[in-house]
Each structure stands twice: as C-alpha cells, then as structure tokens.
Amino acid sequence: MSDDQQNDAYDYTSNTFYHDYMGNGGNSAFPFFGIKNPSIYNRPSPAQNLAGSSSTTSSYDPSYLSFTDCLQGSAADYNFLSGTFDMSCDSFPVCPVDNSSSDKNIIATSLGDAAAGGTTNSAENPRTPNSSVSFSSNETGIEEESSKSNTADLRTKGSEDGDDKSKKSSKPRKKGEKKPKEQRFAFMTKSEIDHLEDGYRWRKYGQKAVKNSPFPRNYYRCTSQKCTVKKRVERSFQDPSIVITTYEGQHNHHCPATLRGNAAAMLLSPNSSFLSSNSSSSSLPNFSQEFLTQMLPTASSNYPNNPPSYYQNFSPQQQQFHFPHDYNYFQDMNNSSFMHKPEP
DNA sequence: CGTCTTTGACCTGCGC
DNA sequence: GCGCAGGTCAAAGACG
C-alpha cells in the first residue's frame, strides 16, 4: 500500500471518495477496481472491516471497488456522467460482500435479461448454456423494480435486434413489456489506451459524445458471428486517465486469443468449476488469459518468458495493482498458485 | 477485396 | 407532445 493510497479518504456521509487510485501518480496501465464506490454503504466502515478481518494485510481500502464487486455487478449502475453510483436506483444490485462468509460465489449479478423470464427472441439469439443465470432472490426483485430507475446510459436496447438488421422497423413491443437487459460488467482501468486488448475481436459500430464530458463514448460489438456481446468504452471526465469499460452480454464462443489453459483464464471461463461451484452458471464475460493475467497481478509464473505487453511497458512500481479485499476468494482456489499476495 | 473505422441520421425511452 | 440524450444503423472511406 502506498502512501498516496493511505492519504485517500472516504467520506461516509457524502459517499464521496477519490484520489490517486493506484497511489503511483497515475501511470499504470493495469486494470483495477478502485473506483468511487458508494456501494460500500452496505459495508462495514474501514475500521470495522479491518477489525473484523482475518486478513493480515491492511492494504484493503473498502472504498475501492473490489474485483468481486465487479463480478457481482455492483459496478453496473455506475453513472458515467457523474462518476457516481446511482444509489437511488431501485435496481441497484445490492450484493454486499461479506468477507467472513464462506460463500465463494463470485458470479456476477445480472441486471436483467434472464431474470425477466428470458429474452423475447431467445430463438434467434440463443444464449450459451452458461448464461442461464441462476439468480438470487434479490436479482429477481431487481428486474421487477428496475423499470423506473436505471440511468439512461446503462439502458440497453436488449438483444432483440441482435442479428436483425432491420432495426429501424423493430417489432412493436407490447404495452408494459420491458426490454430485457443484458448482463453488464463494468470496470475501470487506468490506462492511456482506450480500447484494452481482452483477447476478443471487436468492431466499432458507434461513437457518441457524452453529455458534460469532453470524451466520446465508443461502442463495440464482438465480431464473432451470432455473438451479441457489446462493450462500451469511455474515459472518465473526472479523471481522464481512467477508462471505463462496460461489457454487455456474454460471449457464446471461446476467446480466439486463448484456447490454452491458464488458471486465470479458467477462473472466468464458461466451464470454470470455480464459477459453477456455487452456481449453476456464469453471467460473466469470459475474458482472455492475457487480459486476466493483466487484471490479476501475479505472477510472473504466468508468463515467465512472454509478459503481456502492458507489463513490458511499465516498471514494477508502475505495475502496482490495488488488490481487492476479496482477494482471499481467489486464494481459496485450489489452483491459487497463479496469485501471489502483495507485500504489505 | 475484406475488414475496420468514421460519422451523420435515425430510433428509442425518459422527463418535463 | 416535445425535447433531450443515449444507442444503433449503415453508407462511405481508409487501410492492409
């Protein structure tokens, strides 16, 4: 933990927090999950957390959004415009992380789709077997209550137009019928590169200026046939060094860049026993090995000879990663050798 | 020639 | 109903 991070502060009354996320002056290309995170309103305070934590490290700042948080979808209601979470949002996926819990389920909370009883065009837009998410009860509630509150930028037109190019004559929707929402997975990355390589091939299909932001939002679609996964990439107007990436949907194919095995890739792969250990399926995007290797700092053993390009461009200090407090979740994996605990 | 990006127009949903 | 903003389409151009 750096001094800079120690100097960061979180105001629990105003739910405001921010500063040099990485504590390194902002020169890291590593994805991280340290974002302004009011979702911790349902967390213990830092003091409480540290007091009750069995962790031997004090590097965890609970105001950083954790990897698990992201996987659970709590980043999905992040308001890109304001740089805050929409806490008034009824659909806010309240999935508090309980460090003392033995629950190792890090399945992302979906913000829609299957919870609504399936998409309206499931036949033409088949989901992967793994995408039939097992929803918790609150997720069902999320969908039921979400109609009035989701921010516009997080709305999705759903997958009904997937392969249908005649979108402009889209089918009329029954009154009261909600467009199904795709699963979303958002994270923030401190990077000078807008479009981070994640192993998949993407085609840009749109770019829009974002209100109150000098940075446009870019829209990408997976180039794989019949894969409806989309992602949006934009820079935070509050901190231009931060790239906000939002994945929507789930790939129905393997990552073209990684078919070889790797613990990190296996972690989030569709067939991961880790993901399915406490849930029947995954709603996570399945990232490539390289991407995960970058996200999960470890481990030179992962790439002893061929470190990812991002690694090659930065010094060890610059490669510092803010470890999520849920790090122990990963440690508990049988194949946890891919992860090394950072020195306190 | 195939793939990808750019970009203006259009569609959709929401708030007033 | 209207205006606004986000999201998508698709033609045109760039590029290898």
Side-chain angles (χ1 to χ4, degrees):
Chain A
M1 184 169 187
S2 71
D3 292 339
D4 284 343
Q5 285 177 355
Q6 289 177 340
N7 290 333
D8 288 344
Y10 189 87
D11 181 350
Y12 279 81
T13 60
S14 62
N15 278 321
T16 55
F17 171 85
Y18 234 46
H19 188 48
D20 184 3
Y21 315 89
M22 305 295 287
N24 63 0
N27 191 22
S28 171
F30 279 97
F32 69 105
F33 301 97
I35 65 180
K36 188 176 182 177
N37 183 17
S39 69
I40 64 170
Y41 70 94
N42 53 20
R43 301 257 189 90
S45 69
Q48 291 171 324
N49 179 73
L50 291 175
S53 172
S54 60
S55 171
T56 56
T57 173
S58 61
S59 64
Y60 162 56
D61 182 332
S63 52
Y64 282 78
L65 189 69
S66 73
F67 186 43
T68 299
D69 286 334
C70 290
L71 297 185
Q72 288 179 315
S74 57
D77 274 317
Y78 185 76
N79 185 323
F80 297 148
L81 300 181
S82 64
T84 63
F85 281 86
D86 182 4
M87 295 183 63
S88 63
C89 178
D90 289 342
S91 67
F92 189 84
V94 180
C95 299
V97 175
D98 181 359
N99 286 332
S100 63
S101 169
S102 60
D103 180 11
K104 303 300 188 298
N105 181 6
I106 61 169
I107 303 301
T109 294
S110 167
L111 291 183
D113 91 336
T119 59
T120 56
N121 70 334
S122 58
E124 65 187 36
N125 182 28
R127 302 187 61 80
T128 70
N130 294 304
S131 62
S132 56
V133 184
S134 65
F135 289 95
S136 64
S137 57
N138 64 331
E139 287 166 7
T140 302
I142 286 167
E143 180 58 28
E144 289 171 349
E145 297 175 1
S146 64
S147 62
K148 62 187 176 187
S149 54
N150 256 345
T151 53
D153 62 315
L154 287 174
R155 243 179 279 127
T156 174
K157 294 180 180 297
S159 56
E160 74 276 7
D161 45 75
D163 293 333
D164 183 7
K165 300 305 179 186
S166 58
K167 178 180 182 301
K168 290 178 181 176
S169 59
S170 59
K171 307 171 197 171
R173 193 171 296 275
K174 289 180 184 176
K175 189 175 183 178
E177 185 178 356
K178 307 286 192 303
K179 283 190 175 181
K181 287 188 257 182
E182 285 283 357
Q183 303 148 19
R184 293 189 296 266
F185 177 87
F187 61 91
M188 303 172 77
T189 307
K190 205 155 202 169
S191 172
E192 295 179 2
I193 304 170
D194 284 345
H195 192 190
L196 295 170
E197 180 58 52
D198 60 5
Y200 289 91
R201 295 180 64 198
W202 301 92
R203 173 167 298 174
K204 186 176 180 178
Y205 68 89
Q207 175 176 318
K208 285 289 289 186
V210 180
K211 188 187 177 188
N212 296 329
S213 173
F215 308 105
R217 177 178 299 153
N218 295 305
Y219 299 88
Y220 298 89
R221 181 175 290 140
C222 182
T223 60
S224 179
Q225 280 192 338
K226 296 184 179 179
C227 182
T228 61
V229 175
K230 299 168 192 173
K231 78 172 178 181
R232 295 178 302 192
V233 178
E234 69 181 286
R235 285 200 173 274
S236 167
F237 78 96
Q238 288 191 334
D239 187 341
S241 68
I242 292 176
V243 176
I244 302 167
T245 304
T246 303
Y247 288 87
E248 189 173 299
Q250 186 179 32
H251 294 285
N252 57 10
H253 56 97
H254 286 289
C255 172
T258 43
L259 291 176
R260 59 187 184 279
N262 169 282
M266 288 167 59
L267 170 65
L268 297 179
S269 73
N271 298 320
S272 166
S273 58
F274 178 63
L275 283 177
S276 60
S277 61
N278 287 309
S279 176
S280 61
S281 61
S282 164
S283 59
L284 288 174
N286 32 327
F287 296 108
S288 73
Q289 167 191 337
E290 178 170 297
F291 185 62
L292 285 171
T293 299
Q294 294 164 29
M295 293 178 76
L296 306 175
T298 66
S300 52
S301 60
N302 268 342
Y303 34 82
N305 299 318
N306 298 299
S309 56
Y310 293 138
Y311 267 86
Q312 294 172 333
N313 295 334
F314 293 88
S315 69
Q317 286 73 24
Q318 289 169 326
Q319 292 168 12
Q320 180 183 4
F321 182 89
H322 183 86
F323 245 76
H325 71 290
D326 308 294
Y327 164 76
N328 287 340
Y329 284 6
F330 299 100
Q331 269 199 316
D332 289 336
M333 295 174 62
N334 289 333
N335 53 359
S336 61
S337 60
F338 75 99
M339 222 170 200
H340 298 305
K341 205 162 190 171
E343 292 301 325

